[in-house]
Amino acid sequence: MALGIILISVLGSYAFYALLMAYSPSSISDSWVPSRVEWVWMFATMLAALAIAVAVAVRLSRRILTPLNSVAESLRQMAQGDLQARAAADDESLGETAQLVRDFNAMAERLQAMEQERAFWNAAIAHELRTPVTILTGRLQGLTEGVFEPRAELFQGLLRQVQGLSRLIEDLRMLSLRDSGHLELERVPADLAQEIDSVVHAFEPRLQQRGFTLRTHIDLPASVTCDPVRIRQALMALLENVHKHATPGEVQVRARVDEGRCRLSVEDAGPGIPPELAGQVFEAFHRGDADRPQNAGGSGLGLAVVRAIAEAHGGQAACESSPGGGAVLSLCWPV
């Protein structure tokens, strides 16, 4: 804009006075006061400069203000609770404002996803709490009114429901600690082989009752650096997942250290997990196959806890298909 105005003033003045000297020399003022023709030329030059400035300013301001106004309007809509509001940038927007619009839309999408996730978590937690609380309320009310006789079997059932609630609360607490970055570990050199054997022996009777056969393949050094309590918790969650969802058959528990990483895995005999769902099994409240009955049991938090423990150790959890048609769920971490 500045260059254009300078060119009009300088080059236009040369052309203007060249024409006057050629055709009307008398129109040129001999004093410091401009002549009428020169006044006309100065006003015409100012009007041309003003037109250029207005045109450039309008175009530039539109390129800046249009996306900014869109962001401001979207912010007002989001402040009123509409998380679907999105800003728009046209093709002529400046690079910086266009980037601002993209960043704002990314933030809005993230906020909407977090709100949807929060609503899902609230509904899922309420669903998981409803069944045991309903059972406890009904049984206790029946005991109070004399409908049920106080027998040991009845109290054992109530105790199981309370234990299930305790596990659910502990799993939720662990995931909350993971999300907030406060999940602390006590990493010490531990006899991991002995820890695995203790968990396997504790779970073996339950699995055998359902027709499972446990096989262990442990190739570990005398000590492995980890939090043994958390690793036992992760292995129990993996075996609990097999107990509730796998087809009865042989279950392989493997543990080994290779290239500075320890890998602990549990392989079942089926029915396996579709490849498109393999990346979702470690999500909270996810139970894999959509065709699976909802009464299959479990809170849907066990494998999410496994991933939280693996990530807290600086590793990751994985789901793979086994050659026999089952699934291999594992966690590995650097030692």
Side-chain angles (χ1 to χ4, degrees):
M1 180 182 66
L3 178 62
I5 294 174
I6 291 173
L7 289 176
I8 290 177
S9 301
V10 177
L11 298 182
S13 296
Y14 273 100
F16 170 72
Y17 281 101
L19 291 174
L20 287 183
M21 292 178 65
Y23 297 102
S24 182
S26 60
S27 300
I28 301 176
S29 174
D30 294 332
S31 65
W32 63 272
V33 179
S35 66
R36 180 179 297 181
V37 176
E38 290 173 325
W39 279 115
V40 172
W41 162 249
M42 286 189 289
F43 280 114
T45 302
M46 286 189 293
L47 289 176
L50 180 62
I52 293 175
V54 170
V56 172
V58 169
R59 179 177 176 83
L60 182 61
S61 62
R62 183 180 293 114
R63 296 177 65 187
I64 296 175
L65 293 178
T66 298
L68 290 182
N69 288 333
S70 180
V71 171
E73 179 62 27
S74 300
L75 280 172
R76 283 191 290 269
Q77 294 178 12
M78 293 183 64
Q80 296 172 0
D82 183 11
L83 296 182
Q84 296 182 350
R86 297 294 183 270
D90 53 33
D91 297 335
E92 297 183 353
S93 297
L94 292 179
E96 292 80 359
T97 54
Q99 183 62 43
L100 174 64
V101 170
R102 289 192 293 269
D103 292 342
F104 171 81
N105 288 338
M107 180 196 69
E109 291 174 1
R110 179 59 180 161
L111 285 174
Q112 185 178 11
M114 291 175 62
E115 176 63 21
Q116 293 173 349
E117 184 177 359
R118 184 191 64 81
F120 170 77
W121 269 71
N122 289 340
I125 292 173
H127 174 75
E128 297 299 335
L129 292 175
R130 181 176 56 189
T131 299
V133 170
T134 300
I135 294 175
L136 287 171
T137 302
R139 296 293 187 273
L140 292 174
Q141 185 175 0
L143 285 171
T144 303
E145 298 175 354
V147 177
F148 300 120
E149 296 182 1
R151 302 189 309 272
E153 294 81 1
L154 178 61
F155 289 112
Q156 289 175 356
L158 295 177
L159 180 60
R160 283 194 297 271
Q161 297 297 329
V162 173
Q163 290 172 343
L165 284 174
S166 298
R167 286 195 299 271
L168 175 61
I169 293 171
E170 175 59 25
D171 290 345
L172 290 171
R173 188 184 74 87
M174 173 173 288
L175 294 179
S176 298
L177 290 174
R178 189 275 310 270
D179 292 339
S180 63
H182 292 90
L183 180 57
E184 298 180 355
L185 301 178
E186 295 183 6
R187 301 187 64 167
V188 296
D191 187 354
L192 189 57
Q194 182 178 356
E195 302 289 347
I196 293 174
D197 283 336
S198 65
V199 175
V200 169
H201 290 155
F203 255 87
E204 194 168 17
R206 291 182 58 195
L207 292 172
Q208 287 178 346
Q209 287 180 358
R210 289 205 57 208
F212 292 98
T213 303
L214 269 175
R215 297 284 185 269
T216 57
H217 307 275
I218 301 177
D219 183 14
L220 295 172
S223 66
V224 176
T225 302
C226 64
D227 185 335
V229 176
R230 294 302 187 187
I231 296 300
R232 287 200 307 268
Q233 185 179 3
L235 180 57
M236 286 189 290
L238 293 175
L239 292 176
E240 186 71 26
N241 182 75
V242 169
H243 179 266
K244 292 183 180 298
H245 306 304
T247 302
E250 191 172 75
V251 178
Q252 307 282 345
V253 179
R254 294 185 173 87
R256 61 186 176 88
V257 173
D258 186 19
E259 297 182 353
R261 297 180 69 85
C262 183
R263 187 173 189 269
L264 174 62
S265 64
V266 174
E267 176 183 347
D268 58 50
I273 296 175
E276 62 272 13
L277 297 178
Q280 304 175 16
V281 295
F282 294 101
E283 298 291 337
F285 299 111
H286 184 85
R287 293 188 175 87
D289 192 352
D291 297 331
R292 176 177 293 162
Q294 291 297 318
N295 59 0
S299 65
L301 292 176
L303 296 184
V305 169
V306 172
R307 184 174 68 175
I309 293 174
E311 292 177 350
H313 279 79
Q316 63 273 343
C319 174
E320 303 169 341
S321 297
S322 67
V328 181
L329 300 177
S330 63
L331 67 155
C332 62
W333 67 94
V335 295

